[in-house]
Amino acid sequence: GLACVRLCDVVPDGTSAVVTRGLRNLAHRDGHGQPEPLEPGRRYRIRVELDSSGYAVPSGHRLRVAVSSTYWPWAWPSPEPVTLTLDDGTLELPVRPPRAEDGDLPESVEPEHTPKLETEQRASAPDGRSLRRDYATGRLEQRFDYDAGGTLRFVAIDLVSEDSNSVSYSIVEGDPLSAEVEFRATSGIARGGWSGRAEVTASMRADAEAFHVRSELTATENGDVVFARSWEHRFPRDHV
């Protein structure tokens, strides 16, 4: 099982935002070298470290600790549904007291960088996130389309660049073995009558014993396939 802890800032109107979070595989509670399954009904004392975060809590806000046994798609779910009972706990927060020299700290400024290259936008790539539910199967899919630049022409060197990147996470509620991740990315360059392009797809699934990863790579030159290969890997779950 997993212990997923989130520390949230709750504003006076009741809305909240995650400040930091942490995960602990409870089967690896004594280290990754000697994982052991949990004994149902037995009490354990567990320490979960949260990610480092510099955050100032405004006056009138409250802190809320949320604990759960799943946090998909941030963490892969256990092979079967888990009931996690929290008997008691403490929250330890490092607090930075004000210092006399704080008033002398310089204001943040924009970082220096070289002038941007002149480009022409030929086409935009999909950008954003979406949720889709299949009411026939109960599968919920969360899709991320990352802004990879789309199709650009670099004017000074007359080079056309094309990039896109998307990933989807899907699962059927109540069935942790239905979790799936699918990834797709394309990258290409062209100049004059020549072009090169690479397309990568990858997927990850799991059964009760292992994770299964499949990857494919296809490279083309002027539209002709010059390289293609696929890989399949199996990784034991090892109490994950």
Side-chain angles (χ1 to χ4, degrees):
L2 290 172
C4 310
V5 181
R6 300 180 299 281
L7 181 65
C8 306
D9 177 10
V10 183
V11 301
D13 65 4
T15 58
S16 64
V18 176
V19 175
T20 182
R21 53 194 172 186
L23 285 173
R24 187 67 183 271
N25 183 341
L26 300 182
H28 291 234
R29 59 194 176 276
D30 296 323
H32 299 300
Q34 296 178 324
E36 294 182 357
L38 294 170
E39 180 182 331
R42 179 180 173 184
R43 298 178 63 182
Y44 297 88
R45 181 172 295 277
I46 304 296
R47 182 179 179 88
V48 180
E49 293 189 8
L50 305 180
D51 292 339
S52 298
S53 176
Y55 189 85
V57 181
S59 177
H61 289 216
R62 295 177 291 114
L63 290 177
R64 183 184 69 191
V65 178
V67 182
S68 65
S69 60
T70 60
Y71 198 22
W72 175 260
W74 205 63
W76 201 273
S78 301
E80 59 186 48
V82 175
T83 298
L84 182 66
T85 301
L86 182 65
D87 291 319
D88 56 57
T90 59
L91 177 65
E92 299 177 8
L93 293 177
V95 178
R96 180 189 181 279
R99 301 174 182 172
E101 60 270 24
D102 288 348
D104 299 327
L105 296 175
E107 294 291 333
S108 298
V109 297
E110 290 293 327
E112 295 183 4
H113 54 78
T114 59
K116 293 184 177 180
L117 297 175
E118 182 183 358
T119 60
E120 295 176 353
Q121 188 80 44
R122 295 287 183 87
S124 59
D127 179 28
R129 64 176 64 184
S130 61
L131 282 174
R132 185 176 69 88
R133 182 184 294 276
D134 187 330
Y135 285 96
T137 64
R139 180 169 293 276
L140 180 66
E141 178 189 27
Q142 185 175 26
R143 179 184 176 94
F144 295 86
D145 290 301
Y146 296 97
D147 183 5
T151 304
L152 294 174
R153 173 178 174 264
F154 293 90
V155 176
I157 56 177
D158 191 28
L159 181 72
V160 177
S161 172
E162 175 193 2
D163 290 285
S164 66
N165 188 322
S166 67
V167 61
S168 70
Y169 306 88
S170 67
I171 196 169
V172 177
E173 186 174 357
D175 182 8
L177 294 181
S178 68
E180 298 182 1
V181 178
E182 295 187 351
F183 168 82
R184 179 181 297 274
T186 60
S187 182
I189 56 175
R191 178 187 284 136
W194 178 88
S195 65
R197 180 184 175 92
E199 181 173 334
V200 176
T201 61
S203 63
M204 179 172 169
R205 296 168 176 81
D207 53 33
E209 288 77 34
F211 296 101
H212 303 276
V213 180
R214 178 177 176 82
S215 306
E216 296 182 359
L217 168 64
T218 302
T220 61
E221 183 177 15
N222 296 331
D224 299 324
V225 176
V226 295
F227 181 84
R229 184 177 175 183
S230 63
W231 297 263
E232 291 192 19
H233 299 282
R234 179 185 184 276
F235 303 97
R237 294 194 68 133
D238 190 22
H239 298 83
V240 174

